[in-house]
Amino acid sequence: MICAIDFGSCRIRSVFRNRQTPERLKMYSERSEYALLANTEQHRMTLERQAVPHAECDQALVVFGNHAASAQWLSRVPRTSLLTDGIVPTNDPPARQILSLLTESMLPAHHESGSLCVFTVPGPRDGSDQARKNEAFLYRLVQMRGFRPLLVNPAEASLLATCSDANFTGISIVMGAETTTICIARYGIVVATETLTIGGNWIDAELARQFRIQMYDEAGTAFLDLEKVREWKIESKVSLTNPLGDRERLLGQLYRNVLDQVSAAVGRMLVVPRVRAVLNRQRLAVMLAGGPVMADGFADVLTEQFILHDLAERILSLRVAPDPETAVVRGALIYGELESRALRTEGAA
């Protein structure tokens, strides 16, 4: 069996083929967060009455994954990320345990020995001690389910899921919650990658900070209310290129700040000697994936930044991937199937 799991700072997604109908896929998605509630009789009864799964931990009630949102009204503090800043926390035992439980529930239980699971890791992959610990922890979670883990870059995975019409040649950009990954490839062979430690959460946090979008606990301590920012973006159908007020104008500027960094990174990658040798002056298709790219006008703003960075002549086309939020996990499954096929070929040879 081959499966894939995308450990995202906003959501964790998994996918694998249905055993009975292999042409169909099973996909699961869980929020990467948990809510801590006071361990009171009233809270316990409320959760039980509404059939919300929960656990007791250090004199608190814990609700995690998709159920955390349904319990938010019982708490006056924001939900806690399982992967703060894209990093597996070393001093948060509940988060580490929850990550283990979610991984167990989202991967198939019955599979052949030596089955392959392709996975992605959030946060920077800069060779630092923290990055290695991140990879090692999530690697072990997959391995504990009986799979052979295989790590893939999110942008490379997205390329396989979205760039078949360009012969898997071009620039894949995946903007996640905490990081943005960029991959340049020719016929599916990666020639350059880069990860920027900035993503959608930075944009939401800056907007909340400058407009004082906050929530308060019982003691009056203020917390940035990022969930309210996200709800506003969806409900108001905001446009990055046609703002209707100060808040939308700031949102557009924040996106421009991030995409300025993305464009600069693409420019640096294109002048790397190996990239120049492989691609020469070939014009490239650009495919965008990840939740933040769904903002109205995102492609137009990125096009503006490419022009400002004198990259327009290198771009053949620029578009948002179909179903951009699942492009990475779908591509990871394709990566696993290609890897499995290559291993069978080598074995036969």
Side-chain angles (χ1 to χ4, degrees):
M1 171 172 273
I2 301 166
C3 62
I5 186 164
D6 174 24
F7 289 102
S9 298
C10 181
R11 284 188 175 272
I12 300 173
R13 294 182 173 88
S14 69
V15 65
F16 49 91
R17 293 196 178 276
N18 190 306
R19 279 181 172 274
Q20 286 69 40
T21 53
E23 69 277 5
R24 293 181 175 272
L25 300 178
K26 279 190 174 182
M27 184 175 291
Y28 295 93
S29 175
E30 290 279 351
R31 288 174 175 262
S32 309
E33 61 189 16
Y34 68 94
L36 282 179
L37 309 176
N39 190 358
T40 66
E41 182 68 22
Q42 185 179 14
H43 281 157
R44 285 197 302 274
M45 290 178 60
T46 301
L47 293 175
E48 290 167 5
R49 189 163 51 245
Q50 297 187 358
V52 176
H54 59 280
E56 294 189 23
C57 178
D58 294 334
Q59 301 181 337
L61 300 175
V62 183
V63 184
F64 59 88
N66 292 338
H67 296 289
S70 61
Q72 179 63 56
W73 67 280
L74 295 171
S75 174
R76 298 188 66 176
V77 298
R79 299 187 290 273
T80 303
S81 174
L82 295 173
L83 297 159
T84 303
D85 299 326
I87 295 170
V88 177
T90 57
N91 58 349
D92 188 348
R96 295 170 72 89
Q97 183 63 31
I98 291 167
L99 282 168
S100 178
L101 291 172
L102 288 177
T103 302
E104 181 178 359
S105 68
M106 295 175 71
L107 293 181
H110 305 291
H111 53 82
E112 303 80 12
S113 175
S115 293
L116 182 66
C117 179
V118 180
F119 72 105
T120 67
V121 173
R125 295 181 61 190
D126 53 9
S128 66
D129 184 55
Q130 181 61 67
R132 289 194 295 270
K133 287 180 179 178
N134 249 23
E135 293 180 13
F137 181 82
L138 298 176
Y139 183 101
R140 285 195 298 271
L141 292 187
V142 172
Q143 194 174 47
M144 286 167 59
R145 296 297 297 154
F147 288 92
R148 180 169 66 87
L150 180 62
L151 180 65
V152 66
N153 179 290
E156 182 179 355
S158 179
L159 178 94
L160 294 176
T162 61
C163 290
S164 60
D165 57 349
N167 295 317
F168 306 105
T169 298
I171 303 171
S172 172
I173 300 173
V174 177
M175 182 180 288
E178 297 291 349
T179 59
T180 299
T181 55
I182 307 167
C183 160
I184 299 178
R186 182 172 185 266
Y187 298 127
I189 305 300
V190 175
V191 293
T193 63
E194 186 164 339
T195 299
L196 306 177
T197 55
I198 193 167
N201 279 356
W202 178 84
I203 293 172
D204 295 342
E206 281 298 307
L207 191 74
R209 185 174 294 111
Q210 296 196 37
F211 276 88
R212 301 182 67 82
I213 303 172
Q214 300 171 328
M215 59 191 305
Y216 301 86
D217 65 10
E218 290 82 354
T221 304
F223 299 88
L224 296 179
D225 195 344
L226 302 190
E227 193 60 34
K228 185 173 290 185
V229 172
R230 293 161 189 156
E231 290 172 358
W232 165 74
K233 289 194 297 185
I234 294 171
E235 294 170 0
S236 302
K237 299 180 180 179
V238 298
S239 170
L240 302 182
T241 53
N242 296 295
L244 297 179
D246 291 341
R247 190 182 290 190
E248 287 194 25
R249 274 190 286 273
L250 176 60
L251 181 68
Q253 186 55 54
L254 293 172
Y255 265 94
R256 284 179 175 83
N257 291 347
V258 174
L259 295 181
D260 174 68
Q261 297 181 49
V262 171
S263 300
V266 171
R268 291 193 300 270
M269 296 166 73
L270 288 174
V271 297
V272 170
R274 179 167 183 257
V275 176
R276 294 176 65 179
V278 171
L279 297 174
N280 197 4
R281 296 292 297 177
Q282 181 178 355
R283 299 180 71 194
L284 301 170
V286 178
M287 186 64 74
L288 309 171
V293 311
M294 298 171 67
D296 182 50
F298 184 97
D300 295 330
V301 174
L302 181 56
T303 298
E304 292 172 5
Q305 293 303 314
F306 279 156
I307 292 171
L308 291 174
H309 285 264
D310 295 323
L311 296 174
E313 64 178 17
R314 299 301 310 275
I315 306 304
L316 178 65
S317 62
L318 190 153
R319 55 196 173 100
V320 175
D323 196 2
E325 292 184 298
T326 66
V328 171
V329 74
R330 289 185 286 113
L333 181 65
I334 296 170
Y335 188 96
E337 292 179 337
L338 292 173
E339 180 71 13
S340 179
R341 187 182 306 168
L343 290 174
R344 287 198 302 270
T345 301
E346 290 178 6

